[in-house]
DNA sequence: TGCCATCAACAGTAGATACTGATATTACTT
DNA sequence: AAGTAATATCAGTATCTACTGTTGATGGCA
């Protein structure tokens, strides 16, 4: 805890594949944000239209606290934006730059379903 | 078993957004598989070309055990395929439908850099 | 046949995080 | 001003998972 200096020997990829390793480091958090089914549900709901926390709570059936809890990391990653409106907070997807490849992967879901990748 | 990625059974969303919720449930495991930076690095490396476990171990600088450990869930999700070749196991991305988006992500500029979404 | 290389599976541990209930904060309403 | 609706934050717990070291299994090679 205090005796050990947390020097994670993440030797900063230096090989010819260093760029890819770095890219993975940069992109992983984005995927992680979508790796939870509840957070992904929220993002998919927002891909339809902007919604307030209350709407998200109703649509998902989750506790308000939990919805808010999941929105926090999405916010900090810049995947969603907040716009106070009245006493509600309207959430929206950030942009397409990241969601475009996501859509491509999303379309893959049917293919890989049941591990039946028939390509 | 850390290879299990599925979660506890949820009460099957029944609202008008049930389809989206279900879709999130189906899709989350895929994103989860890519949410770890080491696993994502492996996938990105495989998007370049097929590689043996040894090659992946060298390219990532990870312990062989860890690489094998990460390959297991990718295998079970059907995201990668294995082809024994001599005493090596050659891994490859499941299909082009999956390779294409991953290539796109691998070649993605630093535009989506953390919180730097300027849209 | 012994030896080595390659890879996967088996515990065990440390750290992360999803979820809950309670509380604080802000903005609208009457 | 008081009340209420809408969100966010604060602990606390339980679960999950990434990582390690070791062991086991399999396929070439001398």
């Amino acid at each position: 805890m205090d005796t050990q200096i947390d020097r994670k020997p993440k030797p900063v990829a230096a090989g010819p594949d260093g760029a890819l390793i770095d890219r993975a480091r940069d992109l992983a958090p984005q995927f992680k944000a979508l790796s939870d089914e509840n957070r992904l549900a929220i993002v998919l709901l927002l891909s339809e239209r902007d919604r307030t926390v209350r709407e998200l709570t109703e649509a998902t059936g989750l506790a308000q606290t939990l919805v808010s809890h999941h929105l926090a990391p999405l916010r900090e990653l810049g995947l969603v934006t907040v716009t106070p409106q009245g006493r509600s907070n309207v959430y929206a997807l950030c942009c397409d730059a990241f969601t475009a490849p996501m859509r491509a992967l999303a379309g893959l879901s049917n293919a890989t379903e049941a591990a039946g990748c028939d390509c």
Side-chain angles (χ1 to χ4, degrees), chain A residues 6 13 17 24 28 31-32 39 42 44 48 52-53 62 72 80 83 88 93 95-96 98 102 105 111:
Chain A
D6 56 319
D17 300 307
F31 282 106
K32 185 164 212 164
R39 243 175 351 239
I42 289 173
L44 290 181
E48 282 190 340
T52 67
V53 176
L62 302 174
V80 301
T83 306
S88 297
L93 283 193
C95 60
D96 293 330
F98 184 69
M102 288 303 153
L105 284 176

Side-chain angles (χ1 to χ4, degrees), chain A residues 33 39 42 65-80 82 91:
Chain A
R39 243 175 351 239
I42 289 173
T65 305
L66 188 52
V67 172
S68 192
H69 181 75
H70 281 312
L71 284 172
L74 294 175
R75 228 184 309 139
E76 292 173 10
L77 274 176
L79 293 184
V80 301
V82 206
Y91 278 83

Side-chain angles (χ1 to χ4, degrees), chain A residues 22-77:
Chain A
D22 293 341
R23 180 99 52 217
R25 245 196 293 278
D26 293 341
L27 273 161
Q30 322 276 4
F31 282 106
K32 185 164 212 164
L34 301 174
S35 66
D36 181 80
E37 64 180 42
N38 288 336
R39 243 175 351 239
L40 181 56
I42 289 173
V43 169
L44 290 181
L45 284 168
L46 291 180
S47 74
E48 282 190 340
R49 64 169 179 276
D50 303 355
R51 309 206 191 206
T52 67
V53 176
R54 171 149 193 75
E55 288 172 328
L56 288 173
T57 299
E58 290 173 347
T60 58
L62 302 174
Q64 177 269 320
T65 305
L66 188 52
V67 172
S68 192
H69 181 75
H70 281 312
L71 284 172
L74 294 175
R75 228 184 309 139
E76 292 173 10
L77 274 176

